[in-house]
Amino acid sequence: MRNNRLQTTAPSLPRSRILMSLLLTVMTSASPMAVAARQQADADTTRIASEQRLGEVVVSAQGPTQRVGSVQIGAEQLQLKELKSAPSLFGEQDIIRQVQLLPGVKQESEASSGFQVRGGTSVQNQILYDDASVYNAGHVGGLFSAFNAEAIAAATLYKGAAPAQFGGASSAVLDMTARTGSRQRLRGMASIGLLSAKGAIEGPIRKDKGGFLLCARRSYMDVFLRQTKDFRDNTMYFYDINAKADYQLSPRDQLLLSFFTGTDHIVMDDMVDMRWTNLTASLRWIHQLSATAHSQTTLLHSTYKTDNGFDLLGMNFAYTGHIRQTGLHQNFHLPIGRHTIDAGLQSMLMSVKSGEWQQMNLHEREQRRAWDANVWVNDIIRLSPQWQLSAGVRMNIFSALGGSPYYELDEQGEIISLMKPESSEMVKTYVTPEPRLSLTYQPTPTLSVKAGYSRSSQNIHALRNQSTSTPFDRYTLSSNITRPETAHQLSAGVFAMTPTGSYDLSLEGYYRRVSDVLDYRDGKGFSSEIEIERLVLGGKGRSYGLELCLRKNSGRLTGWLAYTLSWSETKIDGVNQGRWYWASNDRRHDLDLVVAYKLSNRWVLNATWIYYSGQAFTAPSGKYLLENDWVYYYSERNGYRTPSTHRLDVGAIRTTRTPKTGTVREWAFGIYNLYNRYNPFLISFEDSEDGARTKAKKYSLFGIVPSVSYTVKF
């Protein structure tokens, strides 16, 4: 290592073992052996306009006028048509890939579906699918997003001062609205790609009164594995199902039922068996109070669970965990003169099993429950033709419930007292006010200046052994020891566009401060203790940066250039000698270039080039001999940098339509990593035979990967 910059010596993994290398990375990084849109309801767009309808859902795309004139700073309303602007991995169009290409957003790692916003980690984000939370939203370790693009109608990413009706995340909120089916006629689609196939069907339940949509997707990697000699006894597949039905009960009332589930299953010989599942369901009643006002009542449920087993080196280990939430969400949308008011409440019962494992003859389990309640009011005010203000407050009341053991710890993390409260007892209650403010000054139709402040909190905490999401992330709730994680964010920016809207430019800066952020104690890991609070210490974090985005919106050539300059640090007493250290997701430079060229009415060409500078990670600074064993010495947390990442992806889409039947056929061709660069995915350290020398090895997930998919819509 030279100047804390990693110098790697080993070649990347053979391409024939690409998928298996990902699985092994997930397994070894977390096993005990390894460690011992919803649309924004404001003056510009309202939820009722897209949800309650007489015909089909119409989603207004966010153009340059919206980006310049909207009151909410840091809000990115995703244009689903831009899914075709970027080449796809394995021929699969993915809304999360579009999110990762936005300014201020970082991809967790090569080919990962996790995203990090303004210094936060992916576990500090909240992903909402029709109001229900989704956790670990990726298939096959993140190679595929959990969300089928055919099922999504609208999506908004809130990077900064989200309106008060959103909460539960200390970083960002991705709010997605599922598409409703046609009320007029039966429609469908089918698509097949390199590793997965999907289909959708939609139509009227009763013409002009209600419709349904059903989407399904499944991979067939396991089919390929069975054809190989080495992996014929292995399994690796995922599937997901999206369903939605809506019905117009009366001219003022609409009922919507939404369902989503996704499952992964991976088996390696008789050594590894891993399964993880997401499930959400919501029942929403929209009632029109007047021509512009409405109420929205939603019953919702979400579950994330993981079930993993290992048999390695004669050691048996089984691990399970879950997050379950069930509750009621009520919101009133009330435009009154110059004011657009949203007010509401949410009540949720939570159950989190941070871990249950069976290791040899040892069986341990930790599970806790909580009640989470929120009330909010948010007002968007048109102060004058040039000034808009969005001001609100959200009050979070969180109570840890009894029925499970709680304890007190000493400074070393040892249990000094144990409590066993009754299930009806409230062990600890936290009341957290969350003010939100966003101000826009627009002196001309083509220029605006925005500023915002937000305070947000999070009561579901996650621990991970590496910087990417895996089925081995451990979750826990706020308790008598673990306090809610709270974040303050200040942001300001300038937004401009040309008079015709052909180009627009944005420049934003932010400063984010987080308290009660958790990290592992020195020497602790995933399975060191079943009591998760014995593994961690709480501290503070800070991140700051600049975001630049230039877009070309019209003409044959469209696209955008996004650049982020950022810093992210953490300070925890008892970790890294109490000094500030770079967060594990700290990365100085991120550059994304996305272009699409309409060659003709049938052909669209696209390309994406990305560059990420080296990410912080912890590496040994030296080692010493202790009783004939070499022991690594670590001088600082995250004091080294991986090599930089860059990659060029290209694609082409050919679309034809049969005028008589309206059938659309689409071929999508792509090449991921065109110039075959092996980017860092995993860094490991290996000793020489005598143990005296150590070298770092860089493992890569992908070289060049071609793809093709065929889609027909009828």
Side-chain angles (χ1 to χ4, degrees):
M1 298 175 192
R2 213 173 286 139
N3 297 325
N4 283 18
R5 185 71 58 175
L6 181 69
Q7 306 294 315
T8 57
T9 61
S12 57
L13 290 175
R15 275 171 282 176
S16 63
R17 299 180 64 85
I18 284 173
L19 292 178
M20 300 312 297
S21 70
L22 171 66
L23 173 59
L24 289 170
T25 300
V26 171
M27 180 185 68
T28 57
S29 66
S31 70
M33 284 65 75
V35 295
R38 180 176 56 199
Q39 303 275 14
Q40 177 187 340
D42 60 16
D44 302 302
T45 58
T46 60
R47 177 67 179 260
I48 197 70
S50 62
E51 279 285 347
Q52 186 174 17
R53 54 169 198 174
L54 297 177
E56 295 187 47
V57 171
V58 177
V59 179
S60 299
Q62 183 192 34
T65 302
Q66 173 79 1
R67 285 190 286 268
V68 172
S70 66
V71 65
Q72 211 70 46
I73 187 171
E76 296 274 2
Q77 185 178 319
L78 303 179
Q79 300 186 62
L80 301 187
K81 65 179 182 180
E82 290 181 348
L83 288 177
K84 294 185 179 181
S85 298
S88 56
L89 178 61
F90 301 127
E92 188 75 29
Q93 293 177 359
D94 192 339
I95 192 170
I96 300 297
R97 303 292 179 203
Q98 184 185 355
V99 170
Q100 293 171 339
L101 295 170
L102 296 173
V105 182
K106 300 175 183 287
Q107 186 180 25
E108 277 188 330
S109 66
E110 178 84 358
S112 170
S113 61
F115 62 95
Q116 304 167 335
V117 180
R118 293 185 171 178
T121 66
S122 62
V123 293
Q124 293 172 323
N125 300 328
Q126 184 176 57
I127 300 177
L128 298 175
Y129 184 84
D130 278 347
D131 288 334
S133 296
V134 179
Y135 298 89
N136 194 8
H139 290 304
V140 197
L143 289 182
F144 296 84
S145 162
F147 303 109
N148 188 338
E150 296 298 325
I152 306 299
T156 302
L157 176 69
Y158 295 98
K159 300 185 294 183
Q165 51 266 44
F166 295 98
S170 62
S171 185
V173 176
L174 177 60
D175 182 39
M176 294 187 291
T177 301
R179 188 165 65 88
T180 51
S182 171
R183 293 181 175 183
Q184 306 302 319
R185 64 184 181 88
L186 195 66
R187 297 175 180 172
M189 65 81 62
S191 179
I192 185 169
L194 271 182
L195 296 177
S196 66
K198 61 184 177 182
I201 188 168
E202 60 181 295
I205 297 174
R206 181 179 176 187
K207 192 171 183 180
D208 298 327
K209 294 286 287 184
F212 75 92
L213 171 70
L214 176 64
C215 302
R217 178 175 57 160
R218 192 193 190 279
S219 69
Y220 35 78
M221 290 174 284
D222 51 328
V223 177
F224 294 146
L225 290 175
R226 293 192 194 106
Q227 309 307 313
T228 65
K229 180 179 179 181
D230 293 335
F231 305 127
R232 64 180 52 176
D233 296 326
N234 300 330
T235 296
M236 184 184 295
Y237 72 85
F238 71 82
Y239 70 84
D240 49 56
I241 298 172
N242 303 74
K244 191 167 185 177
D246 75 295
Y247 196 82
Q248 200 79 35
L249 300 174
S250 73
R252 289 181 173 269
D253 297 279
Q254 183 184 12
L255 198 64
L256 302 102
L257 176 63
S258 177
F259 172 82
F260 160 73
T261 187
T263 293
D264 282 70
H265 191 200
I266 298 174
V267 176
M268 288 183 59
D269 298 322
D270 295 324
M271 297 186 300
V272 176
D273 190 336
M274 300 190 300
R275 187 189 298 267
W276 62 98
T277 298
N278 273 297
L279 183 147
T280 70
S282 61
L283 178 64
R284 179 178 302 126
W285 169 42
I286 299 175
H287 176 66
Q288 194 82 23
L289 300 171
S290 68
T292 56
H294 68 273
S295 72
Q296 182 173 287
T297 306
T298 307
L299 296 173
L300 54 92
H301 172 80
S302 70
T303 292
Y304 167 70
K305 60 181 179 180
T306 180
D307 187 353
N308 308 292
F310 303 91
D311 185 359
L312 298 175
L313 303 176
M315 296 179 61
N316 295 311
F317 179 79
Y319 164 74
T320 63
H322 72 238
I323 304 172
R324 296 193 181 113
Q325 298 174 299
T326 303
L328 170 72
H329 179 101
Q330 173 68 57
N331 190 72
F332 295 94
H333 179 72
L334 307 169
I336 305 172
R338 295 185 303 165
H339 300 261
T340 302
I341 300 172
D342 279 274
L345 59 88
Q346 178 174 288
S347 179
M348 195 83 65
L349 286 175
M350 298 178 169
S351 172
V352 172
K353 181 163 68 173
S354 69
E356 179 176 8
W357 54 57
Q358 180 77 41
Q359 186 172 4
M360 307 302 286
N361 296 322
L362 176 66
H363 177 263
E364 295 179 299
R365 180 175 184 265
E366 181 175 71
Q367 179 176 333
R368 287 178 178 170
R369 301 181 306 117
W371 175 59
D372 186 72
N374 295 271
V375 293
W376 63 83
V377 61
N378 197 88
D379 189 7
I380 297 175
I381 312 168
R382 173 67 72 171
L383 301 173
S384 73
Q386 292 80 31
W387 290 90
Q388 282 190 89
L389 174 67
S390 175
V393 64
R394 181 185 183 93
M395 190 68 70
N396 174 251
I397 304 124
F398 178 89
S399 296
L401 301 179
S404 302
Y406 288 78
Y407 40 82
E408 298 287 345
L409 302 176
D410 61 18
E411 293 184 356
Q412 286 72 44
E414 298 298 326
I415 297 175
I416 56 177
S417 65
L418 184 67
M419 300 175 289
K420 295 183 178 180
E422 297 294 328
S423 59
S424 59
E425 184 178 344
M426 292 185 178
V427 178
K428 182 72 175 182
T429 297
Y430 297 96
V431 179
T432 308
E434 302 178 16
R436 315 285 174 84
L437 186 69
S438 188
L439 180 67
T440 297
Y441 172 61
Q442 189 174 4
T444 71
T446 60
L447 177 68
S448 66
V449 180
K450 305 180 185 182
Y453 165 78
S454 69
R455 186 183 193 226
S456 56
S457 66
Q458 180 169 334
N459 287 292
I460 297 180
H461 312 266
L463 282 178
R464 51 177 46 168
N465 273 7
Q466 56 183 27
S467 59
T468 57
S469 301
T470 75
F472 304 97
D473 295 342
R474 290 189 65 184
Y475 296 87
T476 190
L477 294 166
S478 298
S479 67
N480 60 314
I481 297 175
T482 303
R483 298 177 56 84
E485 183 177 294
T486 57
H488 299 260
Q489 185 177 145
L490 287 167
S491 56
V494 179
F495 302 79
M497 69 178 189
T498 58
T500 61
S502 297
Y503 295 87
D504 69 279
L505 175 71
S506 65
L507 176 64
E508 293 183 68
Y510 67 90
Y511 178 83
R512 178 173 173 267
R513 180 166 54 86
V514 188
S515 59
D516 297 296
V517 63
L518 300 182
D519 203 349
Y520 280 111
R521 295 173 181 263
D522 287 337
K524 294 291 187 179
F526 168 84
S527 61
S528 299
E529 312 289 349
I530 188 64
E531 300 90 1
I532 196 169
E533 287 157 325
R534 298 179 62 190
L535 307 179
V536 299
L537 289 170
K540 56 187 178 181
R542 63 189 180 196
S543 57
Y544 43 94
L546 292 171
E547 303 165 3
L548 174 69
C549 189
L550 173 65
R551 294 177 182 264
K552 187 177 186 299
N553 305 302
S554 60
R556 287 195 168 190
L557 180 68
T558 58
W560 68 90
L561 174 68
Y563 171 69
T564 304
L565 174 67
S566 61
W567 293 261
S568 183
E569 299 173 280
T570 304
K571 186 177 186 293
I572 298 176
D573 291 338
V575 176
N576 200 52
Q577 301 175 16
R579 302 173 303 185
W580 283 99
Y581 59 93
W582 298 117
S584 60
N585 64 333
D586 179 69
R587 201 163 63 206
R588 197 68 61 243
H589 306 282
D590 282 70
L591 182 65
D592 302 287
L593 175 63
V594 181
V595 294
Y597 182 74
K598 187 176 181 180
L599 191 63
S600 67
N601 289 333
R602 291 189 174 186
W603 283 95
V604 174
L605 308 180
N606 51 46
T608 300
W609 186 76
I610 64 166
Y611 171 82
Y612 308 148
S613 59
Q615 188 154 311
F617 81 108
T618 302
S621 302
K623 62 183 179 179
Y624 55 90
L625 191 62
L626 179 64
E627 296 181 356
N628 297 322
D629 289 324
W630 289 97
V631 180
Y632 286 126
Y633 168 71
Y634 298 87
S635 62
E636 59 180 325
R637 181 79 61 99
N638 296 333
Y640 294 86
R641 298 279 168 173
T642 65
S644 61
T645 293
H646 55 86
R647 188 187 72 243
L648 175 64
D649 307 330
V650 297
I653 300 174
R654 185 181 187 271
T655 305
T656 58
R657 179 185 295 270
T658 304
K660 188 174 181 179
T661 62
T663 301
V664 176
R665 294 176 174 83
E666 182 179 284
W667 283 96
F669 307 92
I671 301 178
Y672 181 91
N673 197 2
L674 179 65
Y675 50 78
N676 199 35
R677 174 177 169 83
Y678 288 101
N679 291 303
F681 178 73
L682 172 69
I683 306 295
S684 67
F685 299 91
E686 297 185 4
D687 292 332
S688 60
E689 289 187 7
D690 60 5
R693 295 177 302 279
T694 301
K695 63 180 179 180
K697 277 193 172 184
K698 178 188 77 173
Y699 291 98
S700 298
L701 186 58
F702 293 126
I704 186 171
V705 181
S707 66
V708 61
S709 65
Y710 176 72
T711 302
V712 58
K713 299 180 180 181
F714 52 89

